[in-house]
Amino acid sequence: MTVSKVTGALDWLDDEADLRRTAGLRRELRSRPALEPVIDLASNDYLGLARDPRVVQGAVHAAHTWGTGSTGSRLITGSTELHAQLEEELAAFCGAPTALVFSSGYTANLGAVTALSGPHSLVVSDAASHASLVDACRLSRARVVVTPHADVSAVAAALATRSEQRALVVTNSVGSVTGDLAPLPELHAVCRQHGAVLLADEAHALGVHGPGGRGLIAENGLAGEPDVVATVTLSKSLGSQGGAVLASPAVVEHLVNAARSFIFDTGLAPPAAGAALAALRVLRDEPALPRRALAAAAAIATAADAPPPMSAMVSIILGEPQRAVDAAAECLRHGVRVGCLRPPSVPAGTSRLRLTAHAALTDSDLAQVAQVLVAVLAGAIR
């Protein structure tokens, strides 16, 4: 093999980078300092608990007690009494029989979907499902049918024609881009009619929806149903890291033995588990926190002249990627950080700002946000 062939093997990366740059889709990492004089509407810290002293102390105490790492997979050395306590309290809070903690929400979705499907299964996935659910479907080895977003009749049609032994319907309970709510009762009714399992990703629902922030599944009276599986993240409302599956004991027992992203992954680090447990207890003791986040979202939507939000996020479509990038940069220049979503995160032509509200936002913060949004959006839409 000649040197030129070796050195040219990755030349195509330069072409790809040029295409991204031309399309306004280039992404880059930007390190932020520990403290910034900005109002943060970009993170998913819905309840403002990531810096809460009680949550920080939960992480510190866990690190002193258990060390900084779990030291192995949970089936070998990585499952501690702290993990078990977190699972017990998380399941009880959400109204689920049992819970199983993973190292991230992404791995929780991968593990749950792949272990509950397989070659002789049908998986019906909402077109707006999170990337982790999409990847799980691809890895499942099942026949996958993608249905239009929130289209219950399309789900019913897919289930009605199945010949496979098992069927699984997957969806986000709260849209990760638009913040809209899935029709969970209707989906569950269709699943039950056709002998399918409903799996709902509650990443953006836990801590925001349901009684005291228990999630959209609980809000719709579906918590504890044997044919309903929930996945959650610990990295949004609970301000930590990790994920979990909430389900029946039979499902959890199966995941322990069949979910590859659980079996072969190092267990969640104890400081993250400790922080999540502390945050869960704060949420349990302060049930008004979700209402504050939703009220802040309503105020932000009013300032942006957007429709009333269904969750704690406000989505403002600006069209082309560069327009959204420029608007986000202008917001930051005026002291407000917002999310900027471009393809492939959203469909072409729908690049947008995503503004996530937090329970800790003050009236002064919201007044500044309103002032900045009015000015920036007036320029972006012209």
Side-chain angles (χ1 to χ4, degrees), residues 4-362:
S4 61
K5 287 183 179 180
V6 173
T7 57
L10 292 176
D11 285 351
W12 62 275
L13 293 178
D14 294 331
D15 297 332
E16 290 291 315
D18 288 340
L19 289 173
R20 283 193 294 268
R21 192 176 296 106
T22 301
L25 299 178
R26 184 174 182 270
R27 293 161 170 80
E28 59 181 309
L29 293 172
R30 293 184 175 89
S31 300
R32 61 179 174 85
L35 297 174
E36 289 182 287
V38 300
I39 298 172
D40 181 16
L41 301 184
S43 81
N44 293 316
D45 185 19
Y46 291 124
L47 304 182
L49 295 180
R51 290 182 178 272
D52 187 288
R54 295 164 292 182
V55 177
V56 173
Q57 185 56 40
V60 170
H61 178 72
H64 280 304
T65 303
W66 296 99
T68 57
S70 65
T71 75
S73 74
R74 290 196 59 191
L75 285 170
I76 299 178
T77 60
S79 196
T80 69
E81 293 171 353
L82 178 60
H83 291 87
Q85 189 173 15
L86 173 58
E87 288 166 344
E88 180 180 350
E89 295 193 25
L90 183 61
F93 179 79
C94 294
T98 53
L100 185 67
V101 166
F102 286 67
S103 63
S104 71
Y106 210 108
T107 56
N109 275 338
L110 288 182
V113 172
T114 56
L116 293 175
S117 57
H120 303 294
S121 303
L122 168 67
V123 177
V124 182
S125 177
D126 188 285
S129 290
H130 186 263
S132 57
L133 291 174
V134 173
D135 288 350
C137 289
R138 292 170 176 169
L139 291 170
S140 69
R141 297 175 296 155
R143 181 169 70 92
V144 177
V145 174
V146 179
T147 53
H149 179 51
D151 190 334
V152 178
S153 62
V155 173
L159 293 174
T161 60
R162 94 171 200 258
S163 59
E164 292 83 3
Q165 298 172 358
R166 302 188 297 273
L168 181 69
V169 174
V170 301
T171 185
N172 301 324
S173 64
V174 176
S176 60
V177 172
T178 60
D180 65 317
L181 310 184
L184 294 183
E186 294 83 359
L187 287 173
H188 180 246
V190 166
C191 286
R192 183 155 288 185
Q193 178 184 358
H194 294 281
V197 171
L198 174 63
L199 186 151
D201 181 349
E202 293 259 80
H204 295 275
L206 178 65
V208 177
H209 287 279
R214 287 167 169 80
L216 196 66
I217 288 176
E219 183 174 306
N220 285 285
L222 298 176
E225 291 292 339
D227 51 356
V228 174
V229 175
T231 58
V232 298
T233 59
L234 311 178
S235 57
K236 294 180 172 59
S237 287
L238 299 186
S240 181
Q241 192 75 26
V245 176
L246 307 170
S248 69
V251 167
V252 168
E253 191 274 340
H254 179 68
L255 295 181
V256 168
N257 287 275
R260 292 173 63 85
S261 62
F262 178 85
I263 296 169
F264 297 104
D265 192 22
T266 298
L268 182 66
L277 182 58
L280 181 64
R281 291 170 176 172
V282 171
L283 174 58
R284 183 187 61 199
D285 295 341
E286 299 183 21
L289 285 174
R291 293 195 296 273
R292 284 189 221 160
L294 291 172
I300 292 169
T302 298
D305 196 23
M310 289 182 278
S311 65
M313 67 183 77
V314 178
S315 188
I316 303 172
I317 297 176
L318 294 178
E320 295 308 307
Q322 196 59 49
R323 179 179 294 177
V325 170
D326 292 343
E330 189 66 9
C331 284
L332 184 59
R333 194 172 72 84
H334 287 89
V336 178
R337 173 179 283 114
V338 302
C340 177
L341 302 184
R342 297 167 285 166
S345 300
V346 295
T350 68
S351 292
R352 68 192 69 198
L353 303 182
R354 184 180 67 177
L355 295 74
T356 53
H358 311 300
L361 289 169
T362 65

